[in-house]
Amino acid sequence: MGMGDEVLLVERVPVDAERPEVGVVVVATINRPDKLNALNQTVMSAIKDFCADVERDDKVRCIVFTGAAPAPAPEGKRAKPHAFVAGADISEFQGLGSEEVRPMFSDNGWEAIWRLSLPTIAMVDGFALGGGCEVAVSCDLRVASDRSRFGTPEINLGLIPGGGGTQRLARLIGHGRTMEMVYTGEMIDAQEAHRIGLVNHVTAPEELRDRTMALARSIGSKSSHTLRVAKSTIRAALETSLSDGVQVEADAFANLFDTEDKEIGVNAFLAREPAVWKHR
Ligand code: COA
């Protein structure tokens, strides 16, 4: 666990407390609760560094991204609202021109999350707006508390999403719904986000972590090699034609027959025993 003043807190949770060899779920918490966890350049480079570290770490099985909870209300003031991430840090946009912004948004934290080879989950409690909605959409799955709200309000700043939102959101929820979100900048609540497939599960805030970690542990208990193949194969559906994608799947499926984990999984099923993966 990092220090309290770090913008990205990293926590390692065993997939199975009784079998540490199975590996860990890594929970990365974006930690600027006073600014609703807005993504400034410091957070962005911390996310990129984190993703590079995770990719080199063979103990990791699944990655959860979340936002820090607000501090209790100071005397006589209201508490800050709960947020996953309320967007890119707007204070960094003032006076900025295309020359400066282009490199900032070309090889960015959203792409780093998207490119992670293992499964990722966004654990959302509160506002997921603009760049925050894009962090959620860069993850593979989303679990949200029922007080969460999603939106792409960039239009109100004279902007459009810049973290891959127009593309990834359109592929996730369809271009018609994406256009409405991007044109109006209006927020949708967690129930609506669930209805349109933007989030996988909605829970009470106090159950959010347990629900998310149960999902992460379930995923983390599979063969990490097979998970990587599953992720990259499903991604092909977003990048290629149907017939090319089906061919990608056929190749990936066939290749898995040369892995020890396929033999381990099939033997374990037939012996009615739990599989102990080589690629744990
Ligand atoms: N960038 C920088 N700072 C942000 C921010 C962002 N995207 N979102 C919130 N903050 C800051 C606020 O400036 C405020 O800072 P302060 O207390 O130092 O003044 C703090 O976070 C709390 O936000 P506040 O606006 O006071 O909370 P609220 O409950 O009144 O409103 C929101 C919550 C989410 C509706 C509002 O903060 C908002 O609209 N944020 C911007 C969302 C956005 O446009 N995102 C897209 C960016 S590309």
Side-chain angles (χ1 to χ4, degrees):
M1 176 83 88
M3 303 288 287
D5 59 351
E6 287 174 11
V7 294
L8 195 69
L9 307 176
V10 178
E11 196 187 339
R12 299 165 72 86
V13 182
V15 170
D16 180 344
E18 274 148 37
R19 295 166 61 218
E21 70 279 8
V22 175
V24 296
V25 175
V26 177
V27 183
T29 303
I30 297 165
N31 183 35
R32 291 183 76 209
D34 282 352
K35 299 289 179 189
L36 311 192
N37 302 319
L39 306 169
N40 60 11
Q41 288 306 302
T42 316
V43 177
M44 269 297 157
S45 37
I47 289 176
K48 288 199 274 182
D49 291 348
F50 166 76
C51 290
D53 289 347
V54 158
E55 215 51 37
R56 283 191 294 263
D57 185 337
D58 64 6
K59 285 268 168 268
V60 178
R61 295 292 166 269
C62 182
I63 305 111
V64 174
F65 286 92
T66 194
E75 268 293 303
K77 290 194 183 157
R78 73 181 177 113
K80 299 268 156 91
H82 284 268
F84 174 67
V85 171
D89 191 318
I90 302 170
S91 68
E92 291 184 346
F93 284 7
Q94 225 168 17
L96 210 64
S98 65
E99 290 293 301
E100 293 102 22
V101 92
R102 215 180 293 281
M104 279 164 59
F105 279 73
S106 63
D107 182 25
N108 56 51
W110 299 283
E111 291 305 317
I113 295 171
W114 180 253
R115 284 196 302 261
L116 284 169
S117 60
L118 280 166
T120 51
I121 306 177
M123 178 163 74
V124 177
D125 184 16
F127 291 112
L129 302 177
C133 187
E134 289 171 302
V135 168
V137 170
S138 288
C139 292
D140 300 335
L141 312 178
R142 285 144 292 279
V143 185
S145 71
D146 54 20
R147 64 185 166 195
S148 298
R149 303 181 78 189
F150 294 80
T152 50
E154 291 90 341
I155 198 91
N156 300 322
L157 307 170
L159 290 170
I160 62 169
T166 62
Q167 305 305 301
R168 286 192 264 267
L169 205 51
R171 280 162 174 74
L172 185 63
I173 64 172
H175 68 273
R177 291 188 175 111
T178 303
M179 283 176 175
E180 184 171 341
M181 283 180 74
V182 172
Y183 293 165
T184 67
E186 281 169 18
M187 297 183 211
I188 60 173
D189 63 22
Q191 281 70 26
E192 175 68 357
H194 185 242
R195 197 184 67 78
I196 66 175
L198 178 47
V199 302
N200 296 67
H201 303 285
V202 179
T203 72
E206 53 283 2
E207 287 160 17
L208 177 65
R209 182 164 165 122
D210 283 354
R211 182 70 191 269
T212 309
M213 292 309 287
L215 188 57
R217 286 199 174 94
S218 162
I219 293 169
S221 69
K222 317 299 182 197
S223 157
S224 60
H225 175 70
T226 315
L227 287 171
R228 284 190 168 97
V229 172
K231 178 163 177 167
S232 66
T233 306
I234 297 166
R235 282 289 175 78
L238 303 178
E239 305 276 0
T240 55
S241 68
L242 177 63
S243 46
D244 286 352
V246 168
Q247 192 55 51
V248 169
E249 182 192 277
D251 287 343
F253 180 74
N255 286 339
L256 286 172
F257 278 71
D258 291 338
T259 63
E260 279 181 55
D261 279 339
K262 168 257 165 184
E263 214 58 32
I264 289 168
V266 169
N267 290 342
F269 175 83
L270 295 175
R272 297 176 185 270
E273 284 168 0
V276 180
W277 306 113
K278 174 163 184 282
H279 296 279
R280 283 195 285 247

